[in-house]
Amino acid sequence: MAIPLRHSGGRRPDLHGDDWWCRGLDGPAHLSERQPGRRGLHRGARHDSESVRRRDPLMIVVTGGDRDSNYGGLFTGHVELEMLHAPQGDQEPDTALVHFHSGAVTNWHHHPGGQLLFVVSGRARVGTAADGAVAINPGNLVVAPPDEAHWHGASGGSDCTLLAVTWGTTCWHDETPDLAD
């Protein structure tokens, strides 16, 4: 479910210039009129009038996606994909939570624009031809450069959830990783 929010979407404000204002219930107040001893902005803020006049896209907050175990990817074991953000073009990345059940992994694959994988929970693993299998844990971030063949998934004996941020359409290979220890 996505909740739209208004945001300026424009350039970052110049916090020391004349284009940053605070707006309170009693009307606008310039940043230089802050109360002494208070840090940061103490009222709601807005950007300069140019970015307010533009019709920028709305920010959205995604509170979850639909889990799909029939996703068109190639996996060994049970995997559920929870798509959080799937833009129309390849200019923006897809963002998904991928839930791997114990021991489940992807086939070898690559992404034309690269991929970021963040371990949300569980014990996971990722592999490349050069590095073999590498154990990854909650809080670890994997940066797969464009077109690098790799695989990823849950370690044996543990489910895991990965946050995947992917640029471009995934190119699946027929090969499964050799998971022999």
Side-chain angles (χ1 to χ4, degrees):
M1 178 175 166
I3 302 167
L5 300 175
R6 291 189 182 273
H7 78 295
S8 70
R11 65 180 174 82
R12 294 186 139 195
D14 175 6
L15 296 179
H16 303 291
D18 291 334
D19 64 346
W20 187 258
W21 290 76
C22 301
R23 179 182 297 260
L25 296 176
D26 55 349
H30 193 270
L31 185 62
S32 62
E33 297 171 6
R34 288 189 308 184
Q35 295 174 0
R38 294 199 62 176
R39 298 185 61 176
L41 301 175
H42 58 277
R43 301 187 203 172
R46 68 176 175 84
H47 284 287
D48 62 275
S49 59
E50 175 189 337
S51 63
V52 170
R53 281 192 302 263
R54 287 188 314 213
R55 291 287 185 188
D56 292 323
L58 293 178
M59 177 186 293
I60 60 171
V61 173
V62 178
T63 58
D66 292 327
R67 282 194 187 195
D68 184 1
S69 58
N70 296 321
Y71 174 68
L74 299 175
F75 302 97
T76 63
H78 186 73
V79 177
E80 297 169 88
L81 180 94
E82 184 177 351
M83 186 58 70
L84 301 174
H85 180 64
Q88 297 299 317
D90 284 343
Q91 298 300 325
E92 293 182 54
D94 288 341
T95 306
L97 286 171
V98 189
H99 306 275
F100 292 87
H101 290 250
S102 177
V105 298
T106 66
N107 275 22
W108 284 92
H109 63 281
H110 67 274
H111 310 279
Q115 183 178 49
L116 300 177
L117 297 169
F118 181 80
V119 183
V120 176
S121 64
R123 291 186 3 254
R125 54 190 168 170
V126 64
T128 65
D131 298 321
V134 176
I136 51 178
N137 296 303
N140 291 163
L141 176 69
V142 175
V143 179
D147 297 318
E148 180 179 53
H150 65 279
W151 58 269
H152 44 84
S155 294
S158 176
D159 293 354
C160 78
T161 299
L162 302 178
L163 177 66
V165 180
T166 305
W167 285 266
T169 302
T170 302
C171 301
W172 292 99
H173 306 195
D174 290 333
E175 300 85 21
T176 59
D178 179 8
L179 301 176
D181 293 327

